[in-house]
Structure formats: structure tokens, C-alpha cells
């Protein structure tokens, strides 16, 4: 339950809200963001062709199939290991509705994909990034429910850092594969964080009422 009570969490929540609003307004107004050009050049300069096989794998892991498999495995873990049926319900609804919210936001924003050679197949619109948003939702919730059952602060930190790096790489993959603007990814992360906060807060309130 510490996640929703932490001052750092509320700071991140404020930042996430600010980024979501800023990028949403910029995209809807049709503004060209220097942030996108700078970050695209920076990332593609670091992650060249040698990294493409890895980021192609990240694309598959972040696909609907990949998200579905990881979600199913984690629900089974919650059921068999923790017997936490409330966590199972919250997790499933957060991931499922999060995917629907992402599709709705894409349709409302209506931002086309970058006019570049796409290195992986994409069919939907660009803003916000589904891989970034769903990666944040899925793996942040997985990390939360795993960490909440641990006592060792060192292990909690390790899991948190690993989850953070994994989520970050999932977002970076979208820029390196030339299928998203960096602002799509940043907004996806921000909106995903807000969504997770809502569901974890709901879990905390319902858990107290048990």
C-alpha cells in the first residue's frame, strides 16, 4: 500500500498529469515538437542496427499477444501463490480497460505515425503509444503486487529498478523502430502511470474494507 501513500508517488503523479496535458494539447494543435526531433536523433544515434533484433523482440512482447500471455501468467501467480482474488480482479480490469482507453485516446487524438520507414508492422494511430502505456500499466502493477508481499527493502529496490528499466526499454523500442514519436512514448508512460495510480488506490480502499 506504500505506493499510493508515498510523497514521491504524488510528485510523479503531478509530473505525469502535466506531461499528459502538455503533449495532448500540442498534438491536438498540430504543433511540431523540437522534443521529438531531438530525442529521435538521440535515441537512433545510440541504438543503431545492432539493437534492432532486441527491439523487435520488445515489439512482440508489447503486442496484444505478449501482454495477454504475461497477464495470464501473472493472474495465475496471484491465484496460486497469493490467493489474492481482489488483486486478480483489479489487475485484470486495469489491463483490459487500459487497453480500451488507449485505443479511444488514439482515435480522439488522430495523430498519424511518423513519416519514416517502419521497422515493425503497425496498424493503429500514433498518440499515445500503446506499448508505452500498456507496458507501464502491466509491469508497474506486476512490480507493485510482487513488492507488496516482500519485507526486504533491497529486494524491493531491485525489482522496482528492473521493472523501470524494462518499461523504459519498451518505450525506447518504439522510437528506435521508427513507429512512434518520443512524445507518443512520454505521454503513454504518463497516462499509464496515472491509470495505475487510480487502480492501485481503488485496490487499497477495497482491501481495507475486506
Amino acid at each position: 500500500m506504500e505506493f499510493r501513500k508515498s510523497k514521491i508517488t504524488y510528485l510523479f503523479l503531478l509530473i505525469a498529469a502535466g506531461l499528459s496535458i502538455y503533449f495532448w494539447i500540442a498534438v491536438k494543435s498540430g504543433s511540431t515538437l523540437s522534443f521529438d526531433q531531438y530525442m529521435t536523433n538521440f535515441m537512433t544515434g545510440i541504438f543503431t542496427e545492432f539493437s534492432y533484433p532486441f527491439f523487435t523482440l520488445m515489439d512482440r512482447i508489447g503486442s496484444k499477444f505478449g501482454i495477454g500471455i504475461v497477464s495470464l501468467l501473472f493472474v495465475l501467480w496471484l491465484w496460486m501463490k497469493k490467493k489474492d482474488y481482489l488483486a486478480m480482479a483489479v489487475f485484470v480490469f486495469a489491463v483490459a480497460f487500459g487497453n480500451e482507453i488507449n485505443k479511444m485516446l488514439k482515435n480522439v487524438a488522430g495523430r498519424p505515425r511518423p513519416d519514416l520507414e517502419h521497422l515493425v508492422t503497425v496498424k493503429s494511430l500514433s498518440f499515445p503509444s500503446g506499448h508505452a502505456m500498456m507496458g507501464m500499466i502491466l509491469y508497474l502493477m506486476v512490480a507493485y503486487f510482487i513488492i507488496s508481499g516482500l519485507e526486504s527493502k533491497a529486494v524491493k529496490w531491485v525489482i522496482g529498478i528492473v521493472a523501470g528499466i524494462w518499461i523504459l526499454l519498451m518505450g525506447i523500442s518504439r522510437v528506435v523502430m521508427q513507429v512512434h514519436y518520443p512524445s507518443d512514448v512520454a505521454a503513454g508512460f504518463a497516462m499509464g502511470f496515472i491509470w495505475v495510480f487510480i487502480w492501485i488506490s481503488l485496490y487499497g480502499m477495497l482491501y481495507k474494507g475486506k
Side-chain angles (χ1 to χ4, degrees):
M1 309 305 171
E2 295 176 359
F3 174 83
R4 65 192 184 92
K5 295 180 180 179
S6 169
K7 291 182 179 178
I8 295 178
T9 297
Y10 284 100
L11 175 60
F12 284 157
L13 188 63
L14 183 63
I15 294 171
L19 288 175
S20 299
I21 294 169
Y22 171 74
F23 285 126
W24 181 267
I25 292 173
V27 168
K28 288 299 289 181
S29 67
S31 301
T32 300
L33 300 174
S34 56
F35 170 81
D36 284 334
Q37 183 176 1
Y38 174 80
M39 291 303 298
T40 297
N41 292 338
F42 177 74
M43 291 182 193
T44 54
I46 294 176
F47 301 105
T48 52
E49 289 187 17
F50 81 92
S51 67
Y52 290 176
F54 171 75
F55 286 123
T56 299
L57 176 62
M58 293 297 290
D59 172 74
R60 293 172 183 170
I61 293 172
S63 67
K64 289 182 180 179
F65 180 77
I67 294 290
I69 292 296
V70 174
S71 298
L72 178 60
L73 292 174
F74 190 67
V75 167
L76 290 173
W77 182 83
L78 286 171
W79 176 40
M80 300 177 68
K81 184 74 175 178
K82 300 192 74 172
K83 306 295 182 184
D84 191 339
Y85 303 109
L86 176 59
M88 289 169 60
V90 167
F91 176 79
V92 169
F93 282 120
V95 173
F97 288 155
N99 183 60
E100 294 305 310
I101 289 291
N102 178 260
K103 289 191 290 185
M104 182 190 74
L105 291 170
K106 282 178 180 289
N107 289 332
V108 174
R111 189 186 206 183
R113 297 278 180 166
D115 187 18
L116 298 168
E117 180 187 359
H118 299 163
L119 303 182
V120 290
T121 302
V122 288
K123 297 178 181 179
S124 62
L125 292 167
S126 196
F127 182 92
S129 165
H131 278 64
M133 185 171 171
M134 294 308 299
M136 175 65 77
I137 293 170
L138 175 61
Y139 293 107
L140 185 55
M141 293 199 75
V142 166
Y144 171 79
F145 285 120
I146 293 175
I147 288 172
S148 63
L150 300 175
E151 294 185 3
S152 171
K153 288 186 177 180
V155 176
K156 288 182 178 182
W157 272 102
V158 170
I159 292 174
I161 291 171
V162 170
I165 292 173
W166 187 257
I167 293 168
L168 181 62
L169 287 172
M170 188 163 287
I172 290 174
S173 73
R174 310 312 287 160
V175 179
V176 176
M177 294 288 95
Q178 302 182 160
V179 293
H180 274 295
Y181 298 100
S183 54
D184 297 335
V185 173
F189 283 154
M191 294 174 183
F193 185 87
I194 294 170
W195 189 247
V196 170
F197 179 83
I198 291 170
W199 283 93
I200 288 180
S201 296
L202 177 62
Y203 173 76
M205 289 185 289
L206 293 174
Y207 190 88
K208 282 185 176 181
K210 290 173 67 176

